[in-house]
């Protein structure tokens, strides 16, 4: 497949006189896709019911006239000011009980029925008008669900909906809920679903079963909101529908939402992410300040390839300094090109730069675009044009199934954040550290959803930290021909966040290991492993007859193994994890190759990509890679 | 007296079928006391007025059948969900004005009259039913008053009660209050008690006199709440009544509350405390992560011996990792035994482990018990059984009056927190540091309430930081035959938190010293003392004709002495405090012996105990002590 | 002019019997001015409408009888408790939506019409009674506007007033506002001014144009509140009117407010400021803990000389430890004298010590005075008397125009705080760092308001960080004969906080430089400059034909110059700034002389002052200066 480029454009921000010239420049730059419309509700409907489509008709036409293909966004992330008058209680409510008001974006509660209907109404109107437009080649629902902590709302609407959701989960049997949650503890029993509140503002921590249920409910509300738009669009259009997920937003289940969409897209801001969400050390943040973390984007690429069942894009690619991180440096020259090629190496169909022209006003006036506010080319423009030229000149990228997979489970992330047990422990971080260890070892990786049952073709599967392991998954993994690495905390809870007791976790078929005790550890007290590395932050005391393959320097079992299954009871540091993965990989017959600092590689069906994320030239087995260097080697 | 062991048990968490077996295992483990019932209100009264005693009858019977003795708790720390419907405004309110809702525990305001009556009602029903039960050998009121910051409530109920409390304090004379508080300052005068608000949500800090009065009122509300339960139980039972205080909860006056009880108990979680409340340095936290602070528990033991007027227990003893600290490591092997013996060395009548079996559900699912969730013995079980065996084999522990005492004044703690003057300065920390210095010097210590007037038998008394020193106390200390060490800040305020002016503090009879000026200091600017050590954080400029016994390296007086009284105007570091105490101890004829790091000793009427709190073996004058070692030497 | 001393006195705090003696001691100490009354409303009007002037009559008379001159304060910073009953909604509201209640001071919202009228009423009554009193020689309005974050209020009253203010700004044209703010972005368009809310509680950041407008409005509300008092006083009195500004309170425009006053005064607490607002490093805080920052007070002196159009005082001078900083050390002996002389060297007409006698009660009981609470002299008393004696013995201080000026623009401070772009970047800090660099180079400096258009007499003018540069100012600076140093961020925004696009900033006449791109940087990634020093935190990419005078070690332009104008696109560290200023100063023909650490100098019309702010003796070109040393050298 021919990989393509695009950009995000806001015709409503600019005088209509320059639309045609903008379109011509986009075309000349080698762009294919132009996403528009997703924040334009107040211009489409300045007053309730008074629709103004004409400008959007002309904007689409101006783009289409150049052969550009439009991705049209529903504008539901930014309801106009009049919406707040129609639905004064439409806002999400913070954990402290404060409604979050008008004046920026994403100011709605997913559980509010009135706004839900408004979202359907504007989607229907838009789909009716543009469903058959030849230039509208794809759709986007809303924008960045979950960004700015907008999934979880402690509103009255959410409470009402949560009660109904619970009643459905428990078939209307309140005693079943009390039993499943252990509500006898601290006399928290309910007599009816109508007595259940939201798990905020409690004196001390609420029941973790209560919290986790609320997290699951909150995720389902996003899925339902999105599905309602998708059903309407599908009734009027055959173009594929997408949503642009945001990096490290795990408050809803992207796999579940993605089932309703043809394409998964995500918004990739490597420098902003490194500053505000990667979780890197200050030294790493300093070393990669102009390049971004070498693995964080790649992990998301692999995740969204899974969410999109193979079809995925970068919908917003950082082209320069952004406005929203604590510090907003400029990218190292060449990184915009590298980021683009890396996305393609992971199978992206398209990479779109955010945004065409830097806006001189409002919240994102400090967010770079391909053009400066005075319409001159910004530095990213040349790099985008370089990629466009390279795409034309070279063979297409053809991704393939990877030999290694990591299971990624949103539910597990909610479980860990409900009960981290030790300060700072997070499921996402655990996955990222496993992913990094594989990448340091030169691996090409697939991310798999937790519903996966067919593991054919994989040599090694990692399932760390998946706190609830459904029995069918355990059995499928035990049956698979892959080496499987579990733990820590894999299988530690049943479906309602209680500890299984007969037997204790992890209760893996074919692997006799029991977590006898769990402790969390101060960061300054690593537990050294025999042979190198250490457990940090979290350690289980393991019992069982399986073979001990890793132990502490004092001889306590840290990892046990039987058949093709290994369970590790500790959160290992990089050295420990590298060693553990090497052990499992050897059993799997996987060849590892240690990457130099900052260098990463990925294999596709037809070639091998090499990327230098460091700010210095690096000597590699495929030659000297300059800073921001990209190398393609045909197989 | 024969020292005994026990545990906390929740029959309502487990199928009735296993109660008898549990009881038999408790008996076999050597336990005597079983505390039950304190969180079971929703099972006792699932719907208002519909009482279900039968299960509790049978649970008590199952325990009693094994000869176990029941401590029965009133369930008022966990009112059921229906209570919130009967009394929607029963919740405490945060300083930010937010009610703290249902969903965990301690969700009530002590000033709420409706809930106060409910607490009396359920207590009366329970006392009527079990007051004469032969197996109910003791009572516990509520659970951990003050835990989770629940003493101070900014509710309307509290405001109403506070006004009445103040009116009583000032005999209904609002001008007396205005005068005592200095309300002319900033025009804060009130025209009637009904104008007085709570000291939260002010633009800048409220009047400290206002704050301190509110702290005293809040404490009195807890005392009154407890007293109401005690009076009801006493009408139906002759068994002793206790309450289980929580470590470093100083928001109410335990001495005052304890006057209504026969036994003081407290809940001892050495590892959790070290992580979240001891105030140790990161290095100390690392070194003692699996043992707990070597003095923090001992200080509480001595405190509760005073609160209980000699009769005290550990009601909840940590048996393994807990769930609530930032990090929750497992204890060093042997520490559960050491903690138990240390409690006995300080005079505990009983030590009960929390809890019998780890719950697999709800908030404390990560809190270890004597049994694992699968009913296997957890590591603590063997240590408890070891102590039980040792108790049977050895002579009884017989505590005795100590030669050294420290005055502990809850009111002073409120005064310091009302006006720390320097960031981080706290009365409790000051007391702990003095206590530690005495323990490093091998001393056996009594804690005394501030109402003490008879100091017979003491050689040395420390009264640091007691900001309000009533005249009778000053006189009693001046008359006593002990060496008395005051300061810093002793006697710095009158009874309404003003600075006495004729003369200035401390105005001690027989000791001519005046605090001419006060300064608080950055932590990075220690003021060196001549001879070693330094003042840190807080330093007074002292005048007077008494003999200067400590001075700064630049010659400013830091401590003055006359007769048997010494006043120290600085917060001294460990070296300075060791030297100061050595000076006073020498005058008192007290023999000090320097303990090795982590080793502590305590003398009873008949023997000397030695404990090794460090993780390494330590050579001592009584031989090599292994990690977690306990040694008893008959006198 | 004869420089004078004074103090702040609270007769209402003390028995009337000691007033006469207090006055006699004030006179004997060499004081001239006594400020009174500013917190006494509840004593003047204990019940609404029941005025009690008699005590104030007698207090003024007691002071006047000694020849002391009274500064009479309107008491509006501390409305009595009954005011809250008359105007329950008079309180300012926090960004979180919480009203800030009674119980301390400054508990009112500037936009509340009811309290505005009360403020006028009490001012009128006071002016009527004392306007002609011969002892009342000056007035003070209110007290420390803005202290305790009291300028910005999110109340309903503020919202109503803000809408009206905006309607006036935009001539009632809501589309003009939408266009100016770029409200099309994110569909934030309003249909009428009545739809505009306050910029708090939004989901993510609000429109910066919205925020900045609210900041300007909030400042205007303070100016209007003050003006209403001034107009009333002027109707009854010819005595000059002042207000006492507080250090580093920039939430309202002091220049605008000062236009209505004859005298600017400010409250100088060098040690408190160093701890809580200077922004110094921990090492600097440690080194100057007893002396205060060597430049922070001087900057304010120069600022208020400008605000007062030459007439300014220190109304409250720290005399010893204060009560409100995180740590409150005592000043180094001699510093009270140094601070006083430094104020005179900068042109102060009077320095008044806060306060006469330390209050033993209420919020400031730990705030030192000239007297201790027991009426003995506190250490500052002798230093004040020393200055009084020196003032009598020596020639008068005669200030003069400085050769160097810095433009200080409150609006720029709001703009930077609205959009710092990089964490921690602040306009005030940028100005302070430029000011420090000039002082390290021995310069005598004027601060100028942004409305200045006549720069006659200045050799060098600094205008860093002034984000909106009105065209007339650009032209006046370009026309002036001074060397002008701009940047970073000078001229970066138009009047409504959009980026000018034709051309891009800074668009300076006669200096061809364009800010092509902007980045903010982690503090740990300094960008080295060729020749020494570095840019830190913020760096612009500059284009243009002007001469590059500073560049990075990699050759990127950092400062460009043409004619007498220089634009610097980076936030330079001390070394870089020293070099840049040296470069510009050389062109200006200014002679720099490097000061030893902690030593500062200032030149007046007739002499040169030298001050040693360090705690050690320092050798200087004018001889050895002892710690806290002051040296006057006649020209
Ligand atoms: Zn229309
Ligand atoms: Zn029933
Ligand atoms: Zn009257």
């Amino acid at each position: 497949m021919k990989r393509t480029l695009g950009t995000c454009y806001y015709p409503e921000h600019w005088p209509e006189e320059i639309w045609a010239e903008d379109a011509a420049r986009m075309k000349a730059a080698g762009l294919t896709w132009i996403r528009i419309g997703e924040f334009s509700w107040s211009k489409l409907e300045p007053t309730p019911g008074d629709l103004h489509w004409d400008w959007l008709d002309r904007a689409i036409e101006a783009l289409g006239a150049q052969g550009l293909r439009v991705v049209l966004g529903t504008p539901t992330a930014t309801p106009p000011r009049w919406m707040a008058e129609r639905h004064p209680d439409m806002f999400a409510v913070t954990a402290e009980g404060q409604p979050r008001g008008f004046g920026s974006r994403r100011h709605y509660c997913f559980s509010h029925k009135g706004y839900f209907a408004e979202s359907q109404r504007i989607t229907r109107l838009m789909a009716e008008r543009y469903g058959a437009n030849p230039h509208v080649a794809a759709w986007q629902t809303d924008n960045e669900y979950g960004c700015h902590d907008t999934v979880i709302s402690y509103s009255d609407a959410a409470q009402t909906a949560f009660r109904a959701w619970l009643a459905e989960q428990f078939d209307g049997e309140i005693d079943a809920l009390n039993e499943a949650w252990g509500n006898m503890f601290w006399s928290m029993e309910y007599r009816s679903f109508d007595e259940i509140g939201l798990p905020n503002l409690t004196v001390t921590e609420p029941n973790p079963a209560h919290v986790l249920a609320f997290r699951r409910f909150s995720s389902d509300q996003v899925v339902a909101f999105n599905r309602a738009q998708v059903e309407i669009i599908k009734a009027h259009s055959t173009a594929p529908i997408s949503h642009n997920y945001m990096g490290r937003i795990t408050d809803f289940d992207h796999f579940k939402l993605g089932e309703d969409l043809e394409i998964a897209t995500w918004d990739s801001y490597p420098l902003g992410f490194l500053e505000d969400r990667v979780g890197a050390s200050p030294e790493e943040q300093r070393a990669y300040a102009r390049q971004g973390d070498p693995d964080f984007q790649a992990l998301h690429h692999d995740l969204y390839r899974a969410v999109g069942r193979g079809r995925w894009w970068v919908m917003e690619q950082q082209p320069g300094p952004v406005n929203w991180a604590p510090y907003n440096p400029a990218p190292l020259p060449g990184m915009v090109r590298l980021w683009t090629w890396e996305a393609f190496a992971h199978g992206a169909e398209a990479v779109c730069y955010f945004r065409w022209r830097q806006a001189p006003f409002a919240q994102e006036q400090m967010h770079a675009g391909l053009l400066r506010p005075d319409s001159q080319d910004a530095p990213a423009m040349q790099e985008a044009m370089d990629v466009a030229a390279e795409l034309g000149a070279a063979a297409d990228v053809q991704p393939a199934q990877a030999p290694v997979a990591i299971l990624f489970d949103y539910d597990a992330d909610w479980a860990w954040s409900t009960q981290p047990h030790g300060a700072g422990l997070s499921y996402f971080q655990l996955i990222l550290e496993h992913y990094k260890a594989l990448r340091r070892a030169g691996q090409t990786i697939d991310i798999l959803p937790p519903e996966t049952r067919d593991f054919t073709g994989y040599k090694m599967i990692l399932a760390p930290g998946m706190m609830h392991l459904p029995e069918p998954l355990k059995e499928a993994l035990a049956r698979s021909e892959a080496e499987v690495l579990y733990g820590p905390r894999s299988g530690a809870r049943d479906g309602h966040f209680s500890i299984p007791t007969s037997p204790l976790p992890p209760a893996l078929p074919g692997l006799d290991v029991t977590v006898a005790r769990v402790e969390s550890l101060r960061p300054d007290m690593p537990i050294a492993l025999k042979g190198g590395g250490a457990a940090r932050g979290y350690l289980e005391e393991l019992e069982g007859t399986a073979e001990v393959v890793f132990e502490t320097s004092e001889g306590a079992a840290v990892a046990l193994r039987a058949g093709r299954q290994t369970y590790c009871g500790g959160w290992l540091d990089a050295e420990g994890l590298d060693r553990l993965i090497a052990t499992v990989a050897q059993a799997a017959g996987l060849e590892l190759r240690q990457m130099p600092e900052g260098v990463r590689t990925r294999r596709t069906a037809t070639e091998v990509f090499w990327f230098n994320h460091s700010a210095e030239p690096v000597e590699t087995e495929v030659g000297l890679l300059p800073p921001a260097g990209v190398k393609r080697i045909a197989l």
Side-chain angles (χ1 to χ4, degrees), chain A residues 541-598:
Chain A
E541 194 177 303
L542 302 181
E543 296 176 353
T545 60
E547 179 197 4
V548 175
V549 292
F550 263 61
E551 57 188 3
T552 68
S553 60
E554 305 204 336
V558 171
L560 287 88
R561 171 179 170 77
R564 283 188 296 272
Q565 296 186 105
T566 304
Y567 182 90
C568 174
W571 186 305
L572 304 191
D573 64 6
E575 183 182 353
L577 203 50
D578 285 348
R579 288 180 50 237
L580 179 62
I581 282 173
T583 303
V584 177
Q586 187 171 32
L590 264 174
E591 187 198 354
L592 305 184
R593 40 176 154 178
Q594 202 57 31
M595 293 290 109
E597 168 71 24

Side-chain angles (χ1 to χ4, degrees), chain A residues 288 290-292 331-342 383 387 390 597-600 610-618 624-631:
Chain A
Y288 291 95
R290 297 193 181 285
Q291 305 102 268
L332 192 72
M335 285 310 296
V336 171
R337 171 174 169 262
L338 182 151
W339 294 330
T340 308
W341 271 115
E342 190 178 52
E383 297 194 27
V387 177
E390 291 165 344
E597 168 71 24
V599 173
R600 295 293 184 262
W610 289 74
F611 302 99
N612 181 8
H613 293 263
S614 81
E616 305 296 331
V618 179
L624 185 77
L625 292 184
V630 176
K631 182 149 194 169

Side-chain angles (χ1 to χ4, degrees), chain A residues 19-51:
Chain A
W19 293 355
E21 186 190 331
D22 276 341
R25 288 178 76 181
M26 291 169 186
K27 183 70 185 173
L31 306 185
T32 299
W33 297 96
I34 314 297
R35 187 193 63 177
I36 64 172
E38 83 277 12
F39 296 131
S40 67
W41 198 336
S42 75
K43 191 158 176 97
L44 292 173
E45 191 177 13
T47 295
D50 173 28
L51 277 300

